[in-house]
Amino acid sequence: MSRPVFADLPCADLAASTEWFADLLGRDPDTRHSGDLAEWHHPGTAGLRLRRDRDRAGQGALTLVVADIATRRERLIRLESGVTPDAGRLRVQLRDPDGNLVVMEGD
């Protein structure tokens, strides 16, 4: 039996990163563990974990495939000026507050 896979991104400031990803994903994290971890769950498939790790912050990468990327365009532009969608794939590359690469792509 397979279980969900979690992407784990290191961050220096968990509060700032949690706020940024909540805005990106359109919802608050599903779980917060102590002061070092925030999680978003996508039942049965995957999830995202933000983990406070100042030594590795900014060294991660994450790709999110979403069905409604066009409806998220304004939110993406607000999160980072200079967002440039790839016309062929509807792909947007962002940097979170720590510099981790976040790629969103979809229909």
Side-chain angles (χ1 to χ4, degrees), residues 73-88:
R73 181 174 167 73
E74 292 304 315
R75 180 179 291 147
L76 296 171
I77 290 169
R78 183 170 23 88
L79 285 170
E80 181 168 307
S81 61
V83 170
T84 55
D86 177 340

Side-chain angles (χ1 to χ4, degrees), residues 9-65:
L9 283 181
C11 60
D13 183 337
L14 184 62
S17 292
T18 299
E19 182 178 330
W20 190 87
F21 275 95
D23 195 19
L24 177 70
L25 299 172
R27 63 187 179 96
D28 288 332
D30 296 301
T31 309
R32 295 174 196 243
H33 301 276
S34 63
D36 293 331
L37 183 69
E39 293 181 345
W40 284 263
H41 303 149
H42 304 283
T45 59
L48 167 63
R49 287 183 175 147
L50 295 180
R51 184 177 309 277
R52 183 179 318 198
D53 184 342
R54 288 182 178 93
D55 294 335
R56 295 184 323 126
Q59 298 177 26
L62 170 70
T63 298
L64 300 168
V65 179

Side-chain angles (χ1 to χ4, degrees), residues 9 58-63 91 93-96 99-103:
L9 283 181
Q59 298 177 26
L62 170 70
T63 298
R91 186 174 190 198
Q93 293 186 359
L94 304 163
R95 293 281 176 179
D96 74 4
N100 293 306
L101 176 64
V102 179
V103 177

